[in-house]
Amino acid sequence: MVEVLSELLLAAGWQPAQVLALVAVYAGAVALLRRASRSAQFRLRFDRLRGKTRVRLSMRRGAPPDVQWPYGTFLQRLRPDTRAIVLDLGVRRQVPAGQILIHEGARESHLVLLEEGLTKVTASLPDGRSALLSLRVGGDLVGEMSALNDQPRSATITTCGPTRYSVVPRDRFTRFLREHPEAALELAAMVADRLRWSNRRRIDFSSYAVRIRVARVIAELCRTHGRRSPDGVVIDVRLTQPELATICGAAETSIQKALRDLRAERLVDTDYRRITVRDLRRLRELGELPADEE
């Protein structure tokens, strides 16, 4: 290309010095364009790589530091720096409602760290029905019993809505506990609280009438899963009456009668699988619960 251009310029009467100067300018311009092109390509590749890196980091990074984890959950109990380590232990997954995260009786030892969503803990009864044992929310750790004692799963964990969680291998979690003994103490405290809650339900079954049991369970759900609204406290847990019956240890017909009584006294409102507590103070009095826990 340069040789053809030089011959054309010489034929047009240009002096050799002028042709050489023009060729030099042309060559310099070509070099600059090539350098700019390589630089643009490099920046493009770098930006793509940086974007992918940001995606990978965002998938690995824990929740933002301003997240308010529900009271009593494992993540809420930890210091912010320890919490960040826990959030980075596992592999993140996201599933819709109705997915089983842990199967009762399965021989597996990983843990599940819930980050967002609501799950139900159920166990099979001899007659084939399922009993609702408890509810777990974002911030809760589940599957810890099998991870610690190497026994089959004692319950089934099922998502009630879209749920984000992490699967944490047992060896990685136990190494974390050895390196962070304060987290091991909080884990023990969490297990103790769950045992206390379970014992409390057993005492309720033998000590209180069904109406009082229902009031106690609903009041506790207000504390753990309730949100304030102009009408009272809305429990954002979609519980069926059979599920409420199993968690209260009563027959479904007894639960229906207790709910009718509570509605008649304007303590609660119920619609499709949702409960709104209109007067939490009176409900706690009915359930013989201390007012300072409200």
Side-chain angles (χ1 to χ4, degrees), residues 5-25:
L5 179 61
S6 300
E7 292 176 357
L8 290 174
L9 292 175
L10 289 171
W14 284 51
Q15 298 297 319
Q18 294 174 322
V19 173
L20 289 176
L22 183 59
V23 168
V25 171

Side-chain angles (χ1 to χ4, degrees), residues 6-284:
S6 300
E7 292 176 357
L8 290 174
L9 292 175
L10 289 171
W14 284 51
Q15 298 297 319
Q18 294 174 322
V19 173
L20 289 176
L22 183 59
V23 168
V25 171
Y26 174 83
V30 170
L32 288 174
L33 288 173
R34 287 176 177 172
R35 187 179 305 169
S37 177
R38 286 197 299 268
S39 178
Q41 291 174 359
F42 173 79
R43 283 198 302 271
L44 181 60
R45 289 196 297 268
F46 177 78
D47 289 342
R48 288 175 179 172
L49 177 61
R50 186 170 56 183
K52 292 178 180 178
T53 303
R54 279 199 298 264
V55 171
R56 286 196 294 268
L57 288 174
S58 65
M59 292 296 290
R60 290 178 53 81
R61 190 180 298 123
D66 58 347
V67 169
Q68 298 297 315
W69 300 103
Y71 176 80
T73 61
F74 183 62
L75 290 181
Q76 183 270 332
R77 297 168 184 266
L78 301 178
R79 297 199 313 261
D81 55 338
T82 308
R83 187 185 304 130
I85 297 174
V86 174
L87 285 165
D88 214 24
L89 287 178
V91 177
R92 277 190 175 80
R93 295 177 181 172
Q94 189 159 350
V95 294
Q99 298 295 304
I100 296 179
L101 307 185
I102 290 178
H103 292 261
E104 181 182 1
R107 280 279 187 180
E108 53 192 19
S109 59
H110 65 268
L111 300 94
V112 173
L113 180 64
L114 301 174
E115 296 185 23
E116 185 179 351
L118 173 71
T119 61
K120 296 178 183 179
V121 183
T122 58
S124 300
L125 297 174
D127 60 4
R129 294 181 297 125
S130 293
L132 177 64
L133 303 181
S134 60
L135 301 166
R136 296 289 180 255
V137 296
D140 272 324
L141 186 68
V142 294
E144 76 284 350
M145 291 178 60
S146 294
L148 295 175
N149 62 17
D150 199 26
Q151 295 296 311
R153 301 294 194 188
S154 59
T156 295
I157 311 293
T158 308
T159 61
C160 301
T163 301
R164 188 177 70 246
Y165 65 98
S166 293
V167 177
V168 182
R170 174 187 178 185
D171 56 347
R172 188 174 297 179
F173 187 73
T174 54
R175 184 168 61 250
F176 161 78
L177 292 179
R178 285 194 297 267
E179 295 172 353
H180 300 83
E182 75 283 359
L185 292 175
E186 294 298 345
L187 177 65
M190 181 196 73
V191 174
D193 284 347
R194 292 179 179 178
L195 179 60
R196 183 182 298 112
W197 191 90
S198 179
N199 291 338
R200 190 172 177 177
R201 294 282 78 75
R202 290 190 181 95
I203 295 173
D204 287 354
F205 295 164
S206 59
S207 304
Y208 296 104
V210 172
R211 185 165 174 264
I212 297 179
R213 276 184 255 166
V214 172
R216 292 170 71 89
V217 168
I218 293 177
E220 188 157 355
L221 288 174
C222 283
R223 183 179 64 85
T224 56
H225 306 292
R227 61 175 174 85
R228 293 284 178 179
S229 77
D231 297 325
V233 181
V234 178
I235 300 174
D236 282 328
V237 176
R238 294 186 178 276
L239 285 178
T240 64
Q241 289 190 357
E243 290 169 340
L244 186 59
T246 59
I247 205 170
C248 292
E252 186 176 350
T253 54
S254 299
I255 296 295
Q256 292 171 352
K257 182 179 183 304
L259 289 175
R260 281 199 303 269
D261 292 343
L262 295 178
R263 286 195 298 267
E265 296 179 36
R266 296 188 60 79
L267 295 179
V268 303
D269 284 335
T270 59
D271 52 24
Y272 180 67
R273 296 189 179 185
R274 174 169 291 182
I275 299 174
T276 301
V277 177
R278 300 181 62 88
D279 194 331
L280 181 56
R281 182 185 61 80
R282 288 177 54 211
L283 184 71
R284 295 187 67 84

